[in-house]
Amino acid sequence: MHDLPHGDTVTIVRPGPSTEDEYGNDIPGPPEEITVPGCAIAPRGAAAVSAELTDARDTVITGLTLYAPYGTEIRATDRIRIDGQLYEVEGLPGSFRSPFTGSTGPVVAALELVTG
């Protein structure tokens, strides 16, 4: 898959390398931000959107599917910023390269946003 000329640009927010505090404990370093142009974003359907009432608040879970250009490195620990919202990556992203033609498909990642 090549970059989509009318695709969206997303930002991968990746935990930075850990550092040590004054007591020798590992603490997360500042996050790294990686801009990825040419992506497609699709809703995951009604099954990926749910709402429930907890502690007198509505919780809404929204699922998206991200299609990024082949070779994009997306980790399960990354978060993806889309339109100012930070989505969690669910599971491991996957990609496909045909053993017959060598053609490639996108890197596909399931994303989830929990609000409320």
Side-chain angles (χ1 to χ4, degrees), residues 1-2 69-71 95-98 101-106:
M1 174 180 149
H2 301 283
Y70 183 82
S95 61
F96 179 76
R97 184 171 166 269
S98 171
T101 64
S103 63
T104 57

Side-chain angles (χ1 to χ4, degrees), residues 63-103:
L64 297 177
T65 302
L66 172 66
Y67 300 92
Y70 183 82
T72 302
E73 182 185 1
I74 300 174
R75 302 174 185 169
T77 54
D78 290 340
R79 292 179 294 160
I80 309 294
R81 184 179 300 118
I82 301 171
D83 295 330
Q85 300 284 332
L86 272 179
Y87 290 79
E88 302 290 330
V89 175
E90 289 186 38
L92 295 173
S95 61
F96 179 76
R97 184 171 166 269
S98 171
F100 304 106
T101 64
S103 63

Side-chain angles (χ1 to χ4, degrees), residues 3-115:
D3 287 354
L4 302 172
H6 300 286
D8 295 307
T9 297
V10 303
T11 303
I12 297 172
V13 180
R14 178 166 295 153
S18 62
T19 59
E20 285 188 0
D21 65 12
E22 63 270 13
Y23 304 107
N25 299 315
D26 285 336
I27 57 172
E32 302 174 34
E33 296 198 0
I34 304 157
T35 302
V36 183
C39 297
I41 301 161
R44 288 195 300 171
V49 179
S50 65
E52 59 185 78
L53 184 63
T54 57
D55 296 329
R57 295 181 304 165
D58 288 327
T59 299
V60 178
I61 302 169
T62 306
L64 297 177
T65 302
L66 172 66
Y67 300 92
Y70 183 82
T72 302
E73 182 185 1
I74 300 174
R75 302 174 185 169
T77 54
D78 290 340
R79 292 179 294 160
I80 309 294
R81 184 179 300 118
I82 301 171
D83 295 330
Q85 300 284 332
L86 272 179
Y87 290 79
E88 302 290 330
V89 175
E90 289 186 38
L92 295 173
S95 61
F96 179 76
R97 184 171 166 269
S98 171
F100 304 106
T101 64
S103 63
T104 57
V107 174
V108 181
L111 306 179
E112 180 178 80
L113 175 68
V114 179
T115 57

